[in-house]
Amino acid sequence: MGRLLIVSNRLPVTVKVEEGEFRITPSAGGLATGMRGLHEGSDSLWVGWPGELPRLSEARREELEQRLAEFRTAPVYLSQTEVNRYYEGFANGVLWPLFHYLTDRVRSDAWKDWQTYSEVNERFAQRVAAEYRPGDTVWVHDYQLCLVPVLLRQLVPEARIGFFLHIPFPSSDVFRIVPWRTEILEGILGSDLVGFHTYPYLRHFSRSLNLLLGVEPDGERLVYANREVRLGVFPMGIDATRFSALAESAEVAAEVQSIREELGKRKLLLGVDRLDYTKGLPERMLAMERLLEREPSWRGRIRFIQVVVPSRTKVESYKAFRRNLDELVGRVNGRYATIDSVPIHYLYQSVSEHQLVALYRAADVMLVTPLRDGMNLVAKEFVASRSDGDGVLVLSEFAGAAAELAEALQVNPYDADAAAMAIHRALTMPREERRTRMEALQRRVFTYDAYRWADTFWKRLQEPPAAEVDRMLSPAGPMQELAARLRAAKHLVLILDYDGTLAPYASSPQLAEPDEELKRLLKALSSRPGTSVHVVSGRSRELMSRWFGRLPLGLHAEHGFWSRPQLGGEWRPLKVRALEWKRRILPLIELVAARTPGSLIEEKTAAITWYYRMADPELGARRFEELRRLLEKEVSGLPLEVMTGPKSLEIRVRGVHKGAILDRLGAKRGITLLAMGDDATDEDLFGALPAGGTAVHVGRGPSSAAYRVADPAAARRFLASLLA
Ligand code: GDG
């Protein structure tokens, strides 16, 4: 088996230069600890940025590479300007606030930063490609590297690539604010597997794909650029056993005891966060203020220790944020301090791991109340550290962890009053209830730990793509044989559907006009000796005449109701019964269309079609069902039928289908028939083909056709190969 190549912005080790010597230390943080097990337990290499370093000579870089290789890591060096633009400017100045729904903090002057973001992503991709060996699996992490999957795919098309997003994926209405939204989606879709912490993030991503790229995920899989991409939910866990072992260690026990002695009878509330505007720190202070206001009995009887770890200290908005927070803490403390007690102990510093676990273990109530958070590992670490089975977790419903940790007291961090009451409830919760809740939380945190998380993602990434896609993507051999057989035919008749077969679907059916290249191809095919070409479509004969009228083709409109067998001929209808039904049915469809903005109606002689490709996809799908039920009731007992097509619904006279045109071609002996189509209406044609006729299905989905090509571009290439 190949190796695992892990790719993340930061390496799991940090390099410092001290007195001319390289000092390499392991980095803390969720990602590093989450992946550690997989990194240490498998044949792997980690590619990432080693942190800010002074300028190094070529020889010194070489030396550092060798040192880093001992930790199975490979560095991607970034200049100061690159760090400013790629990391601070774009990743943290645009994507971070946007993905956390804080749209007013999104920078709107980030053109250069985007440029550098792309360049740095390219550099990461190149470094991975240089390390890649056949059989290796690549796992790319997080929002700093959204473009790496597609860039790497271009360099190493056969690589197996996974991407995991550690932060939320926002609602499509928020995501589409970013000017480079399609590039970002396409970047991620270079992967074989895309992972999220929660199902809502996956759903938001799917919806954005649909809205912005027109991709329609089928549950947790989709096809894009002829490749299968799978989506999945993988809630990240922590190394729970390590936290409980630490909590049981003598060093931590001593620390816990000294914290509790100092507290006396006071209750301890705890918060541990990186200084970030997503963490809900001001809102948490307001909740504390509200608690002390509403429940005066707590004054002097609680201590709230808030550890704030300095972060992104150079970014201006973080500096201003910090000043405001300081002021707020000062105000609350000013109001509610007593002679011998200050309610909020605000520590702007990081603490050692032992101190951290001691605080987790000593706290009565843990406050994890971010405005948004991808997951939040602090909540899980608190749970894992409570080997005493006690302690209450107050958790924001906007943290990804809330999806798993149902037994926490969940709060809306924007509602300071409700949050204050939740804290009060936590402080007064009976011991029995505390234990029951904690036990349930621990079961979850210990079962779905970091190892389980990494292992599940990794295994899923190894799974081969679905068989259907395989079949769809690898018909090259048989297609070549088919082309050879068709080239050798004496009399060849090609019957080609238009939308979805010769041309991709356009957002509006009126916009799908054939391009010059297609017209040249059709002309060339019909000039080929012994070959006649027919285009068959559900569209009106007016449109068909306008688009193809001057070409030497047979044309068949409205699914074969109208036919113009050759250039210069007349359009002739099929003989069918009276069409009064349309006067009754049309108003019904019009009513549904009026309630579905973006949908439209095409009235034809023997059919009415309702299209909703431009409508909101969810609304469209709902109305589609409504209309289908309504029409099916209407047609019962009448010589009509309801047909569903791609993003459309059609009601038509029964028996008028594409298969009917075969009778009109005056099928002679000795001709070779080829039919190509992409949807259910073409299946009528395939089904009516005489023995010896061949059907080719374009795209995914079920079909009775013996052959299949991926999309209209592939269909055109196939047809062009008949000219050779
Ligand atoms: C992303 C997402 C998602 C914090 N202060 C100290 C300290 N820490 C450690 C904690 C914890 C880690 O840092 C923070 O983990 P989070 O989950 O809160 O956030 P990130 O890793 O920054 O960010 C987040 C995560 O990725 C994983 O997917 O959960 O939503 O934003 O491990 O213990 N450690 C020490 N001293 C401190 O002062 N030793």
Side-chain angles (χ1 to χ4, degrees), residues 29-30 96 166-167 197 236 272 274 279 309 350-353 356 360 373-378 381:
W96 176 267
H166 288 264
I167 64 174
H197 283 305
M236 186 171 176
V272 177
R274 214 163 33 74
K279 298 292 182 184
V309 183
S350 61
V351 293
S352 75
E353 199 165 45
L356 180 71
Y360 286 153
D373 214 331
M375 170 55 72
N376 194 301
L377 300 177
V378 167
E381 291 168 3

Side-chain angles (χ1 to χ4, degrees), residues 35 75 171 333 367 553 633 663 668:
M35 292 298 292
S171 140
N333 276 342
L367 302 179
L553 305 169
K633 215 164 68 204
D663 297 338
K668 280 175 268 153

Side-chain angles (χ1 to χ4, degrees), residues 631-653:
L631 292 179
E632 262 160 15
K633 215 164 68 204
E634 287 292 324
V635 302
S636 73
L638 293 174
L640 299 174
E641 60 188 342
V642 179
M643 293 293 294
T644 63
K647 297 273 180 186
S648 65
L649 191 66
E650 181 166 283
I651 178 158
R652 69 184 187 193
V653 176

Side-chain angles (χ1 to χ4, degrees), residues 28-37 46 139 141-142 164-167 195-199 201 232-240 374-381 400-405 444-457:
L31 175 56
T33 44
M35 292 298 292
R36 188 162 292 144
W46 198 315
W139 185 352
H141 290 266
D142 228 3
F164 188 84
L165 185 69
H166 288 264
I167 64 174
F196 303 90
H197 283 305
T198 73
Y199 187 67
Y201 303 162
V233 176
F234 306 90
M236 186 171 176
I238 56 159
D239 187 346
M375 170 55 72
N376 194 301
L377 300 177
V378 167
K380 294 187 172 181
E381 291 168 3
E404 294 173 84
L405 305 181
R444 174 82 206 174
V445 169
F446 280 87
T447 315
Y448 293 91
D449 64 1
Y451 300 103
R452 186 89 176 248
W453 168 76
D455 197 51
T456 319
F457 185 92

Side-chain angles (χ1 to χ4, degrees), residues 495 534-536 556-557 559-563 574 657-666 685:
I495 308 172
H534 295 260
V535 177
V536 50
H556 307 272
H559 299 129
F561 179 78
W562 292 101
S563 285
L574 267 186
H657 59 68
K658 289 181 179 171
I661 68 167
L662 289 171
D663 297 338
R664 301 189 182 178
L665 297 180
L685 173 60

Side-chain angles (χ1 to χ4, degrees), residues 31-202:
L31 175 56
T33 44
M35 292 298 292
R36 188 162 292 144
L38 203 58
H39 183 44
E40 284 167 5
S42 66
D43 187 7
S44 62
L45 179 75
W46 198 315
V47 177
W49 176 46
E52 282 178 44
L53 287 171
R55 231 170 236 294
L56 297 175
S57 67
E58 203 48 44
R60 291 283 280 159
R61 277 196 182 194
E62 195 95 332
E63 185 194 335
L64 179 57
E65 296 255 341
Q66 276 174 16
R67 290 286 312 279
L68 285 169
E70 290 165 25
F71 296 84
R72 284 188 281 139
T73 61
V76 175
Y77 299 109
L78 301 177
S79 72
Q80 192 55 52
T81 318
E82 283 170 338
V83 174
N84 290 345
R85 292 192 179 152
Y86 142 78
Y87 182 62
E88 275 154 20
F90 199 77
N92 291 335
V94 176
L95 296 181
W96 176 267
L98 185 75
F99 281 34
H100 288 87
Y101 291 80
L102 296 163
T103 49
D104 55 339
R105 290 186 184 265
V106 176
R107 295 188 38 209
S108 47
D109 57 350
W111 291 98
K112 277 192 187 151
D113 305 270
W114 161 255
Q115 189 60 37
T116 310
Y117 180 86
S118 317
E119 285 160 14
V120 169
N121 271 249
E122 175 77 50
R123 186 111 50 82
F124 269 84
Q126 280 165 357
R127 178 79 212 223
V128 179
E131 300 291 345
Y132 181 87
R133 287 185 244 150
D136 286 352
T137 301
V138 185
W139 185 352
V140 183
H141 290 266
D142 228 3
Y143 64 102
Q144 299 93 351
L145 303 177
C146 288
L147 307 182
V148 169
V150 80
L151 295 169
L152 181 60
R153 175 75 56 208
Q154 284 157 12
L155 297 170
V156 195
E158 77 283 4
R160 190 151 278 277
I161 307 172
F163 179 82
F164 188 84
L165 185 69
H166 288 264
I167 64 174
F169 195 93
S171 140
S172 56
D173 245 4
V174 167
F175 175 70
R176 67 178 174 164
I177 289 173
V178 66
W180 304 278
R181 57 208 190 171
T182 48
E183 287 88 338
I184 292 168
L185 292 178
E186 282 170 344
I188 296 175
L189 287 187
S191 329
D192 297 292
L193 175 64
V194 184
F196 303 90
H197 283 305
T198 73
Y199 187 67
Y201 303 162
L202 183 154

